[in-house]
C-alpha cells in the first residue's frame, strides 16, 4: 500500500472512528463504567456490521440473535471444557454460528423478503427452545452458566487491556468486511440486492453468493456474541431474545444501510442516546424514542446518518438556487 | 376411551386458539392483498385491543363481548392513522423498509402500552366463566363457543361486505389490480386506509377474545400470536383469506397437539419448525403463487 492510498484510507470514516475509539479511554481517565459501555458498544459495532453484510445482499434477517447466542454458548462451553483462553475459543464460537447460518441459509436464500424475516425470527426462537429443553444439561437451562472472562480480573487495569483487545478485533472485523465488500464477492452481493434477475443473467450464482453472505454474517455475529459473553462472564438464553435481534437492525438503519460506516455511526449515536436517556431516568420512554427514531429515519432519511452531509448540502443548494431564482424572477418581473 | 377424550380436548383448544390466529391472519391478508405490505407490528394491535377492552370493562363494568365492538372501532381509528403516517410514505420504496417501519412500531406501541397500563400481567373475568357445556365426555366452557361463533360472524360479515358493498368491491378491485382500479376512478389510497383499519379492528377483536377466555396479558403478548399468524399466512398463501381460515384451524389444533404430546416449551416452537419445513419444500408457501 503506497502512502497516498494510506492517507486516502485514513480519511474513511471507519478508520477515523476507530482512531477516536483508541483515544477515548485515556481521555476519560479509564473510568470503568465508561469502559464497560465502550466495550459493549464495540461488540455491537461488530454485530451490526455482521447484520449489515447480510443486508448488503438484500437479505434482512430478524433473528441474528440466534448466531450471536450460538457464538456465545459454543465459545463458553469450549473455554470451560478445555481451559483455553477465550481469545481463541471465540473463533470457534463464530465457526459454529457460521455452520448454523449455512443450515438456515439453505432455506432462506430462496425466500422472499417477508418470508426470510419470519423464518429467521422463528429460527432464534427455535434455538432458544432447544437450548432450554434438549440441551439444558449443558447450557444450564433458563438459569444459564458462568463464562470465563476475557482477562482475569486479578490483572491490574484488566479492563483497559480488554478494551484495547476488543478495539483490535473490531478494527480487524471492519477491515475484513471492507475487503469483502470491495472484492468480487461484494460486487456480486450488491448486484443481487439491486436486481436478482439481472445478476443471474450476468452469470452470478444467486444461491452460492447469498449463502456465502449468510455464513460470513453468522460467523461475525457469533464472534460478537462470544466477545460479549466473555466480557460479562455469564450467559443465559435471554441472549436469543427479540431485543438482541432488533438492535443491529436499528443501529444499521440509523447509520446507513449497506455502508461500512453506517453500523459504526449508528451504534455510537444510538448508544449515546440510549445511555443518555437512561441517565435522564427514562424506562419505557427510551424504547418509544428509539422506535420513533427508526420510523423517522426510514421515512425521511432512508440512507441513514451517513447521507446527512449530502442531504444538507443538497437542501442548501436548493435553497440557494431557489433564492437566486426568486431574485431573477423579481428582476425580470420588475 | 381416555385417549379419545384427550383428542377432543386438543381439538377444542385448537379451534379456539385457531380463531384468534384466523382473525389476525385474515386482517393481515386483507392488508396485504390491497397494499402488498406485511405489517409485522400487527400483534401489537391485538395487544392494544385487549387493553382497550379491559380498560373499558374496568370503567363501565359492562359485558366484554359488547365492549369488543367499541375496542374494534378505536383500533380502526388507530390503524388508519398508522397507515396514513407510517406506511403510506414508504409505499413502493422496497420491502425491507416495511419491515423496518414495523419494527419501529413494535417498539413504540409496546412501550406506550407499558407506560399507560404498566407491564404487569393482567386478566379479566368473563361473565360466563363458570358456565360449561357438556360435549361427549368433556365440559367445554361456554366462552369457547361464543368465541368460535363471534369469529364466524365476523368472517361472514367481512365476506358480505367485500362481496356486496360498493367499498368492498372497490377493495377487491384494488387488490386485484391497483393500476386498473385507479383507472376506473377508485381512490386506492382510501382503500389502503380502509383495509388497514378493518385489519386492525380484526386484530382488536382477536385480542379481546384472547383475554376474555381467561388468558393473562401484558404489553409484550402480541408478538407471538402475530408470528403464528404469519406462519399461517405462509402456509395458506399470502393474500388468500380462505387459506388463512383453513390454515388457522389446522394450526391451532397442531400447536395444541404438540404442546400436549411433546411438552410446553415446544408449543411455540413447533409452529416455526413446521413453517421452515414447508418453506424448504415450497419456498412460496403451500398455496402461494410462484410470482408476485
Amino acid at each position: 500500500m503506497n502512502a497516498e492510498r494510506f492517507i486516502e484510507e485514513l480519511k474513511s470514516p471507519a478508520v477515523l472512528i476507530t482512531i477516536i475509539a483508541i483515544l477515548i479511554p485515556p481521555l476519560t481517565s479509564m473510568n470503568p463504567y465508561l469502559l464497560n459501555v465502550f466495550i459493549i458498544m464495540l461488540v455491537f459495532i461488530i454485530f451490526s456490521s455482521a447484520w449489515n453484510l447480510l443486508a448488503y445482499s438484500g437479505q434482512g434477517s430478524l433473528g441474528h440473535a440466534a448466531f450471536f447466542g450460538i457464538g456465545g454458548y459454543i465459545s463458553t462451553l469450549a473455554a470451560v471444557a478445555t481451559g483455553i483462553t477465550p481469545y481463541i475459543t471465540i473463533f470457534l464460537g463464530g465457526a459454529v454460528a457460521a455452520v448454523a447460518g449455512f443450515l438456515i441459509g439453505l432455506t432462506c436464500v430462496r425466500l422472499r423478503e417477508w418470508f426470510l424475516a419470519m423464518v429467521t425470527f422463528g429460527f432464534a426462537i427455535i434455538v432458544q427452545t432447544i437450548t432450554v429443553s434438549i440441551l439444558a444439561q449443558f447450557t444450564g437451562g433458563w438459569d444459564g452458566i458462568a463464562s470465563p472472562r476475557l482477562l482475569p480480573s486479578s490483572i491490574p487495569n484488566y479492563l483497559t487491556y480488554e478494551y484495547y483487545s476488543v478495539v483490535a478485533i473490531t478494527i480487524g472485523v471492519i477491515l475484513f468486511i471492507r475487503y469483502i465488500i470491495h472484492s468480487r464477492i461484494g460486487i456480486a452481493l450488491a448486484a443481487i440486492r439491486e436486481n436478482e434477475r439481472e445478476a443471474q443473467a450476468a452469470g452470478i450464482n444467486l444461491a452460492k453468493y447469498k449463502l456465502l453472505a449468510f455464513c460470513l454474517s453468522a460467523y461475525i455475529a457469533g464472534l460478537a456474541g462470544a466477545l460479549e459473553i466473555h466480557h460479562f462472564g455469564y450467559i443465559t438464553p435471554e441472549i436469543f431474545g427479540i431485543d438482541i435481534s432488533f438492535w443491529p437492525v436499528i443501529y444499521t438503519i440509523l447509520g446507513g444501510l449497506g455502508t461500512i460506516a453506517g453500523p459504526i455511526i449508528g451504534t455510537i449515536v444510538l448508544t449515546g442516546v440510549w445511555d443518555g436517556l437512561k441517565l435522564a431516568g427514562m424506562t419505557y420512554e427510551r424504547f418509544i424514542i428509539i422506535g420513533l427514531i427508526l420510523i423517522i429515519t426510514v421515512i425521511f432519511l432512508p440512507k441513514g446518518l451517513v447521507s446527512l452531509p449530502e442531504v444538507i448540502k443538497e437542501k442548501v443548494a436548493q435553497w440557494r438556487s431557489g433564492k437566486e431564482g426568486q431574485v431573477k424572477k423579481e428582476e425580470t418581473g420588475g | 376411551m381416555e385417549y379419545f377424550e384427550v383428542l377432543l380436548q386438543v381439538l377444542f383448544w385448537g379451534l379456539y386458539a385457531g380463531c384468534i390466529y384466523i382473525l389476525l391472519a385474515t386482517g393481515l391478508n386483507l392488508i396485504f392483498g390491497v397494499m402488498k405490505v406485511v405489517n409485522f407490528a400487527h400483534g401489537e394491535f391485538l395487544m392494544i385491543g385487549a387493553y382497550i377492552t379491559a380498560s373499558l370493562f374496568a370503567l363501565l363494568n359492562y359485558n366484554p363481548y359488547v365492549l369488543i365492538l367499541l375496542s374494534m372501532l378505536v383500533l380502526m381509528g388507530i390503524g388508519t392513522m398508522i397507515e396514513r403516517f407510517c406506511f403510506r410514505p414508504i409505499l413502493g420504496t422496497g420491502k425491507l423498509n416495511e419491515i423496518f417501519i414495523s419494527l419501529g412500531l413494535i417498539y413504540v406501541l409496546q412501550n406506550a402500552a407499558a407506560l399507560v397500563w404498566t407491564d404487569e400481567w393482567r386478566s379479566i373475568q368473563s361473565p360466563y366463566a363458570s358456565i360449561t357445556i357438556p360435549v361427549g365426555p368433556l365440559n367445554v366452557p361456554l366462552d369457547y363457543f361464543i368465541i368460535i361463533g363471534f369469529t364466524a360472524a365476523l368472517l361472514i360479515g367481512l365476506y358480505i361486505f367485500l362481496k356486496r358493498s360498493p367499498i368492498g368491491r372497490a377493495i377487491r378491485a384494488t387488490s386485484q389490480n391497483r393500476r386498473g382500479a385507479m383507472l376506473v376512478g377508485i381512490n386506492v389510497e382510501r382503500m389502503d386506509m380502509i383495509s388497514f383499519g378493518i385489519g386492525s379492528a380484526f386484530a382488536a377483536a382477536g385480542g379481546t377474545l384472547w383475554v376474555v377466555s381467561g388468558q393473562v396479558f401484558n404489553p409484550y403478548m402480541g408478538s407471538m400470536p402475530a408470528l403464528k399468524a404469519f406462519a399461517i399466512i405462509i402456509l395458506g398463501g399470502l393474500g388468500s383469506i380462505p387459506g388463512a381460515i383453513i390454515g388457522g384451524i389446522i394450526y391451532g389444533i397442531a400447536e395444541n397437539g404438540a404442546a400436549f404430546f411433546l411438552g410446553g416449551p415446544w408449543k411455540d416452537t413447533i409452529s416455526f419448525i413446521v413453517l421452515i419445513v414447508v418453506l424448504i419444500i415450497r419456498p412460496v408457501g403451500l398455496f402461494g403463487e410462484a410470482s408476485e
Side-chain angles (χ1 to χ4, degrees):
Chain A
M1 194 186 286
N2 56 35
E4 248 174 62
R5 175 89 192 280
F6 186 70
I7 290 166
E8 200 58 32
E9 290 280 307
L10 278 184
K11 277 187 190 164
S12 84
V15 176
L16 268 181
I17 283 162
T18 39
I19 291 172
I20 295 168
I22 294 170
L23 292 177
I24 275 178
L27 296 178
T28 55
S29 60
M30 306 294 172
N31 179 326
Y33 171 78
L34 280 179
L35 274 181
N36 269 318
V37 170
F38 285 129
I39 289 173
I40 297 303
M41 192 171 84
L42 288 166
V43 165
F44 272 87
I45 286 177
I46 301 176
F47 189 28
S48 308
S49 300
W51 185 87
N52 185 40
L53 183 61
L54 186 62
Y56 195 73
S57 67
Q59 306 180 94
S61 153
L62 290 188
H64 250 49
F67 310 125
F68 194 73
I70 288 173
Y73 268 106
I74 296 297
S75 179
T76 297
L77 293 175
V80 169
T82 60
I84 301 173
T85 165
Y87 281 114
I88 293 169
T89 57
I90 55 171
F91 295 101
L92 180 69
V96 175
V99 172
F102 177 78
L103 292 177
I104 193 70
L106 282 177
T107 320
C108 286
V109 295
R110 300 188 299 163
L111 300 179
R112 296 195 336 231
E113 286 85 345
W114 306 298
F115 290 3
L116 189 142
M118 293 171 204
V119 167
T120 46
F121 192 104
F123 181 63
I125 294 172
I126 292 173
V127 173
Q128 190 180 51
T129 308
I130 293 173
T131 307
V132 298
S133 58
I134 299 172
L135 299 177
Q137 50 173 328
F138 306 110
T139 61
W142 279 111
D143 297 333
I145 41 170
S147 175
R149 305 291 298 254
L150 277 175
L151 290 170
S153 49
S154 51
I155 301 173
N157 288 331
Y158 77 102
L159 212 53
T160 312
Y161 297 121
E162 205 167 293
Y163 174 80
Y164 282 118
S165 68
V166 177
V167 168
I169 294 169
T170 311
I171 294 174
V173 166
I174 287 168
L175 289 180
F176 174 69
I177 290 177
R178 246 184 96 86
Y179 171 75
I180 294 283
I181 283 184
H182 289 163
S183 72
R184 285 180 67 89
I185 300 172
I187 296 166
L189 295 181
I192 291 171
R193 179 194 61 209
E194 292 306 324
N195 191 326
E196 285 202 0
R197 275 193 202 147
E198 282 176 17
Q200 203 167 16
I204 294 170
N205 184 338
L206 294 185
K208 183 182 137 193
Y209 279 100
K210 284 170 134 187
L211 205 50
L212 187 63
F214 241 103
C215 289
L216 288 172
S217 177
Y219 183 88
I220 300 167
L223 196 70
L227 271 178
E228 185 188 51
I229 287 313
H230 288 302
H231 168 66
F232 279 145
Y234 206 83
I235 183 166
T236 69
E238 306 271 322
I239 197 170
F240 297 113
I242 298 172
D243 276 4
I244 304 286
S245 287
F246 286 4
W247 278 121
V249 186
I250 296 172
Y251 288 148
T252 308
I253 308 262
L254 178 71
L257 191 65
T259 60
I260 294 163
I264 304 172
I265 295 173
T267 310
I268 293 172
V269 169
L270 270 188
T271 308
V273 170
W274 185 251
D275 286 328
L277 293 175
K278 188 177 165 190
L279 287 180
M282 291 186 180
T283 51
Y284 303 122
E285 296 92 332
R286 312 197 266 178
F287 285 99
I288 298 176
I289 291 168
I290 298 286
L292 287 176
I293 288 176
L294 180 63
I295 294 172
I296 291 167
T297 312
V298 173
I299 295 176
F300 295 106
L301 200 64
K303 287 180 182 162
L305 285 178
V306 287
S307 71
L308 199 58
E310 268 174 48
V311 170
I312 290 175
K313 222 183 269 173
E314 221 169 78
K315 281 266 143 71
V316 169
Q318 245 174 28
W319 179 70
R320 267 196 193 145
S321 67
K323 217 175 166 188
E324 273 167 26
Q326 232 173 17
V327 171
K328 266 179 197 164
K329 229 187 231 167
E330 271 166 23
E331 276 170 5
T332 50
Chain B
M1 257 358 257
E2 212 173 59
Y3 199 69
F4 173 73
E5 206 171 303
V6 166
L7 278 183
L8 204 64
Q9 180 83 57
V10 166
L11 188 77
F12 262 102
W13 277 341
L15 265 181
Y16 135 78
C19 282
I20 315 293
Y21 303 147
I22 288 171
L23 287 173
L24 273 179
T26 305
L28 275 167
N29 266 341
L30 184 69
I31 296 169
F32 179 83
V34 174
M35 299 176 69
K36 305 289 177 278
V37 157
V38 175
N39 174 23
F40 277 78
H42 208 64
E44 276 52 51
F45 294 152
L46 172 126
M47 174 271 295
I48 291 179
Y51 267 105
I52 288 175
T53 308
S55 301
L56 289 172
F57 182 61
L59 204 69
L60 307 170
N61 205 9
Y62 208 70
N63 190 333
Y65 287 113
V66 178
L67 295 175
I68 208 171
L69 297 171
L70 275 176
S71 176
M72 285 174 74
L73 261 180
V74 173
L75 256 286
M76 194 179 262
I78 295 177
T80 40
M81 284 301 112
I82 284 179
E83 192 283 325
R84 177 66 189 84
F85 294 110
C86 295
F87 283 98
R88 193 181 298 175
I90 54 121
L91 219 55
T93 60
K95 291 167 195 165
L96 285 180
N97 280 348
E98 300 156 13
I99 297 174
F100 302 151
I101 288 271
S102 318
L103 271 192
L105 281 174
I106 291 176
Y107 270 67
V108 172
L109 295 176
Q110 280 185 352
N111 293 286
L115 256 187
V116 177
W117 290 292
T118 75
D119 64 356
E120 281 164 32
W121 289 96
R122 291 174 183 231
S123 66
I124 55 174
Q125 186 90 37
S126 155
Y128 314 118
S130 55
I131 306 173
T132 58
I133 292 174
V135 176
L138 288 180
N139 283 321
V140 179
L142 175 63
D143 285 313
Y144 282 23
F145 288 102
I146 299 179
I147 287 167
I148 294 168
F150 196 89
T151 306
L154 275 182
L155 291 173
I156 293 168
L158 179 69
Y159 179 82
I160 293 170
F161 171 74
L162 287 179
K163 283 281 178 208
R164 298 261 179 264
S165 75
I167 294 177
R169 275 198 287 268
I171 286 178
R172 281 191 296 141
T174 312
S175 91
Q176 278 165 13
N177 188 333
R178 200 177 172 87
R179 198 171 289 171
M182 261 190 231
L183 282 175
V184 297
I186 292 170
N187 184 345
V188 291
E189 286 183 334
R190 189 186 292 159
M191 295 310 131
D192 287 350
M193 279 173 96
I194 293 171
S195 47
F196 212 97
I198 296 173
S200 313
F202 268 54
T208 308
L209 294 179
W210 182 253
V211 299
V212 166
S213 67
Q215 302 274 0
V216 290
F217 57 104
N218 78 353
Y220 311 107
M221 58 88 101
S223 307
M224 206 38 88
L227 277 155
K228 288 172 185 167
F230 292 135
I232 290 163
I233 288 172
I234 292 179
L235 293 175
L238 262 176
S240 155
I241 291 177
I245 296 169
I246 296 165
I249 294 172
I250 294 174
Y251 206 87
I253 294 171
E255 176 191 82
N256 282 288
F260 191 83
F261 295 111
L262 294 174
W266 287 95
K267 188 181 172 186
D268 294 337
T269 309
I270 199 76
S271 46
F272 291 109
I273 293 177
V274 172
L275 173 66
I276 290 173
V277 169
V278 167
L279 286 176
I280 288 173
I281 301 163
R282 254 186 82 83
V284 290
L286 277 187
F287 306 108
E289 286 164 24
S291 62
E292 307 225 311

